[in-house]
Amino acid sequence: QVQLVESGGGLVQAGESLRLSCAASGSIFSINDMGWYRQAPGKQRELVARITSGGFANYADSVKGRFTISRENAKNTVYLQMNSLKPEDTAVYHCNADVILSTRARTAYWGQGTQVAVSS
């Protein structure tokens, strides 16, 4: 019913930047919160940043001051600008969206993930 497609991952050196994008499509009436999570090998998935439909954002302490989340509601798209990347940011980054479907049912969806690798 709804697909989240991420893009923008890759391999960079420490200190460089990447911008992730996640576009939602399908039978969408509206989207509440959208967010980015990441999962490193051998670790649990963790919150990176979330943003409300009104633009209020919260961040994990580990990324505050380096990452910025934003969204374009008209495009059902969320972005994650990642600056000053560190090797410990290496992970698969997943997009998440709290979607109100055209049926008015409410469901959370996940993207397939995009790999971010930061070399030292």
Side-chain angles (χ1 to χ4, degrees), residues 77-98:
T77 299
V78 63
Y79 306 96
L80 186 68
Q81 177 67 43
M82 304 185 294
N83 299 329
S84 302
L85 282 160
K86 304 176 180 180
E88 50 265 43
D89 295 318
T90 295
V92 177
Y93 284 68
H94 295 269
C95 173
N96 172 266
D98 180 13

Side-chain angles (χ1 to χ4, degrees), residues 16-119:
E16 295 184 339
S17 299
L18 282 173
R19 189 189 193 213
L20 306 183
S21 300
C22 171
S25 63
S27 303
I28 298 170
F29 175 74
S30 64
I31 301 179
N32 296 327
D33 290 7
M34 300 185 81
W36 289 96
Y37 292 73
R38 66 187 181 188
Q39 187 166 18
K43 295 187 177 182
Q44 290 189 332
R45 188 174 295 187
E46 62 175 3
L47 171 70
V48 176
R50 285 192 71 82
I51 186 168
T52 69
S53 57
F56 293 99
N58 64 285
Y59 298 90
D61 288 343
S62 59
V63 306
K64 283 181 181 176
R66 300 189 297 122
F67 291 11
T68 302
I69 189 171
S70 61
R71 63 189 284 176
E72 289 189 75
N73 291 334
K75 295 182 178 181
N76 291 330
T77 299
V78 63
Y79 306 96
L80 186 68
Q81 177 67 43
M82 304 185 294
N83 299 329
S84 302
L85 282 160
K86 304 176 180 180
E88 50 265 43
D89 295 318
T90 295
V92 177
Y93 284 68
H94 295 269
C95 173
N96 172 266
D98 180 13
V99 178
I100 307 297
L101 300 172
S102 55
T103 61
R104 302 304 187 269
R106 179 180 178 181
T107 307
Y109 289 89
W110 290 91
Q112 80 288 351
T114 185
Q115 177 71 53
V116 171
V118 184
S119 62

